[in-house]
Amino acid sequence: MKLLLFVIVGTVGLSSGAVAADMDVRDLINKDVSKQAQAAAELRKNREAALPALLSALDAPEPELRAKSARLLKELKSPDSFKLLAAKAVSDTDWHVRQEAISAVGRFKHAEVEAVLRRALKDAAPQNRIAAARLLSFRSRTKALPELKLLLADEDKAVRLTAAREMGRHGDRSALPIARDGLRDADWRVRAAACDAIGTNGDTTSRALLDKIAADKSEKPAVRLAALQAQHQIDLNGKSSATEQVDFLEQSLGDPVGGVRAWAAFELARRAEPKALAILKRTGQDNHALGQREAEFALRSREGP
């Protein structure tokens, strides 16, 4: 699966000309990690020329190659890739490929995106039902709430907690008891998701328990971080105005804990206020800012296809 790239180069004292760079898209799954990185970089650099090869790779026999191709197509944001990605999101035999395709589809502004995400809510893999629920929730409150309420009966605890979290984000706190119960679960991943749901719901009555979890050194680091993020989310929800909320997020973007900075950056990216976007751009361009990397990543995620 060769991709022949032609790049026009020019050097002082030399005439410009066409230089051919022969690259194999299959290097994305090369055993040599450096070749994987080089192939991905070349494909990103030569976006238009890379598109046909990546689309073809979506039908490769190796799930890893299909998944990596879907991930790169998400970055390239070409409308020509939507139909194939939508098909992979609901029909590929590998759950990871479907997950990458679901994530890619969620970046488009195509009229069929929400229909694809609703189908993905019935995916056999709970990770994919979670991904679809979050993307659908992000796109539309009115269309998401009925689907999220159905997910409260999902067989998987993490899916139920995701539904509770997203419902809380839209102001519906009827699922809060499910989130509170999750804090006592034996599975640390469920406890982390429960912290997230409680924070999003702004459950101030659980603040003391979150404090205890965040300070418990015997708890899983991911759960402690989730509790810390939930504390910040509750504090954010307690601010009386949008201006105060944005100011609080700007302060959190400089927090010494990387997970808190990442949370603040993505919260800023979700907001409509011009000041929020300005903060992210300014921080992302400041090489000395503590939250530079988090701001850059949040800005990339904010960009549509």
Side-chain angles (χ1 to χ4, degrees):
M1 194 180 297
K2 296 281 185 180
L3 172 63
L4 193 61
L5 303 177
F6 290 93
V7 184
I8 304 300
V9 297
T11 306
V12 176
L14 298 176
S15 60
S16 298
V19 178
D22 194 18
M23 181 182 62
D24 192 345
V25 177
R26 295 184 63 82
D27 274 343
L28 289 172
I29 56 172
N30 195 297
K31 292 182 180 180
D32 185 337
V33 178
S34 64
K35 288 187 177 181
Q36 290 184 23
Q38 182 181 0
E42 287 294 328
L43 288 164
R44 291 188 184 99
K45 181 180 178 181
N46 300 277
R47 303 164 70 90
E48 292 184 9
L51 183 61
L54 288 171
L55 290 174
S56 178
L58 285 177
D59 290 323
E62 300 89 349
E64 183 185 3
L65 181 55
R66 299 199 302 274
K68 289 188 173 182
S69 297
R71 189 182 310 163
L72 279 171
L73 285 167
K74 170 184 172 181
E75 296 181 29
L76 297 182
K77 308 172 187 175
S78 171
D80 295 335
S81 64
F82 178 80
K83 287 187 177 180
L84 282 177
L85 287 169
K88 288 294 174 182
V90 297
S91 65
D92 198 277
T93 56
D94 185 85
W95 75 267
H96 189 208
V97 177
R98 295 196 305 275
Q99 184 179 66
E100 292 290 353
I102 289 168
S103 178
V105 164
R107 297 286 297 277
F108 283 84
K109 296 177 181 177
H110 195 282
E112 297 298 320
V113 170
E114 289 166 11
V116 174
L117 293 177
R118 282 194 291 272
R119 288 186 63 186
L121 290 176
K122 299 178 176 63
D123 195 282
Q127 301 96 317
N128 293 351
R129 299 199 294 277
I130 289 172
R134 287 177 172 171
L135 286 168
L136 189 61
S137 173
F138 183 79
R139 294 179 68 90
S140 171
R141 175 187 183 278
T142 55
K143 294 181 180 179
L145 276 175
E147 304 289 351
L148 293 171
K149 289 180 179 178
L150 291 176
L151 288 180
L152 293 176
D154 195 277
E155 62 184 14
D156 187 88
K157 292 178 181 177
V159 176
R160 296 198 298 271
L161 283 165
T162 296
R165 173 188 185 275
E166 295 304 321
M167 286 172 64
R169 184 178 292 281
H170 295 306
D172 186 335
R173 300 185 179 183
S174 61
L176 193 51
I178 293 176
R180 291 173 181 155
D181 288 344
L183 290 176
R184 298 188 292 272
D185 198 271
D187 188 333
W188 68 266
R189 291 164 295 188
V190 173
R191 296 197 301 276
C195 290
D196 190 14
I198 283 173
T200 304
N201 276 272
D203 182 20
T204 55
T205 62
S206 298
R207 181 59 189 261
L209 187 52
L210 291 173
D211 291 343
K212 182 179 179 181
I213 293 171
D216 184 0
K217 294 184 179 180
S218 65
E219 180 58 276
K220 289 278 188 179
V223 180
R224 294 178 64 193
L225 176 58
L228 190 59
Q229 290 173 331
Q231 292 172 333
H232 278 72
Q233 184 69 60
I234 290 172
D235 290 342
L236 175 66
N237 292 345
K239 302 300 179 184
S240 59
S241 70
T243 300
E244 288 182 344
Q245 290 182 341
V246 172
D247 289 344
F248 177 76
L249 289 171
E250 182 177 16
Q251 179 183 354
S252 298
L253 191 56
D255 194 275
V257 179
V260 173
R261 296 197 301 272
W263 164 82
F266 277 99
E267 286 296 325
L268 284 166
R270 293 174 70 99
R271 301 186 72 93
E273 295 90 350
K275 183 178 178 181
L277 180 58
I279 291 169
L280 283 177
K281 288 182 175 179
R282 183 176 66 250
T283 306
Q285 294 169 358
D286 185 350
N287 293 331
H288 301 291
L290 196 57
Q292 182 197 27
R293 184 174 62 177
E294 291 83 3
E296 287 182 333
F297 192 78
L299 281 170
R300 287 198 298 269
S301 73
R302 186 180 188 275
E303 295 173 356

